Amino acid sequence: MIHRKADIVTESRPNLRGGQGNPLFRHFFSAEDLGGRADMLAIVILQPGESVGEHPHNGNGEVYLILTGAATVTEDGVDYELQAGEAEFCADGHTHAIRNHTDAPMSFLALIVKDRA
């Protein structure tokens, strides 16, 4: 399945999960497109100060792969600074958040995968 730029749905999600600002999501494949194996595949762009608030994963997990810039990722209440090329996986039963603490835009790939159980 090929998705061209014109096919990609873009949406702003203000104050997502209690976070700050208006993260911009570029959805590449829907859960239906992914055949039930995953719930989402998107690139998320955070402007300086924007964030996705802390949230739990139950029955699924989520990968954050930093594409450009840097961000503070909070995993189970512990902060980590990640740079482009680094990643975090929030497994089923855990929590995470992400915040652009820099003065430049940053982007990350977000993939929500289903629990195998």
Side-chain angles (χ1 to χ4, degrees):
M1 175 184 306
I2 303 295
H3 278 192
R4 303 277 182 197
K5 286 182 184 180
D7 300 325
I8 298 168
V9 175
T10 301
E11 71 171 322
S12 176
R13 302 195 55 195
N15 307 111
L16 183 61
R17 307 279 189 171
Q20 300 296 310
N22 299 294
L24 185 67
F25 280 68
R26 298 189 70 225
H27 294 280
F28 286 85
F29 295 101
S30 68
E32 182 179 293
D33 293 337
L34 296 167
R37 293 179 196 90
D39 289 329
M40 182 185 75
L41 176 65
I43 290 178
V44 183
I45 300 166
L46 297 178
Q47 297 300 320
E50 288 187 332
S51 63
V52 175
E54 189 169 8
H55 59 281
H57 281 272
N58 296 304
N60 62 27
E62 186 170 19
V63 174
Y64 287 165
L65 171 60
I66 309 302
L67 299 174
T68 62
T72 298
V73 173
T74 303
E75 183 178 72
D76 293 329
V78 179
D79 289 342
Y80 303 90
E81 183 174 331
L82 296 182
Q83 304 290 325
E86 298 179 328
E88 180 257 357
F89 176 65
C90 181
D92 183 24
H94 295 271
T95 65
H96 70 164
I98 187 167
R99 177 176 54 87
N100 181 351
H101 67 274
T102 74
D103 60 0
M106 64 83 56
S107 64
F108 64 99
L109 181 77
L111 172 64
I112 299 176
V113 294
K114 301 244 179 167
D115 188 22
R116 293 187 318 181

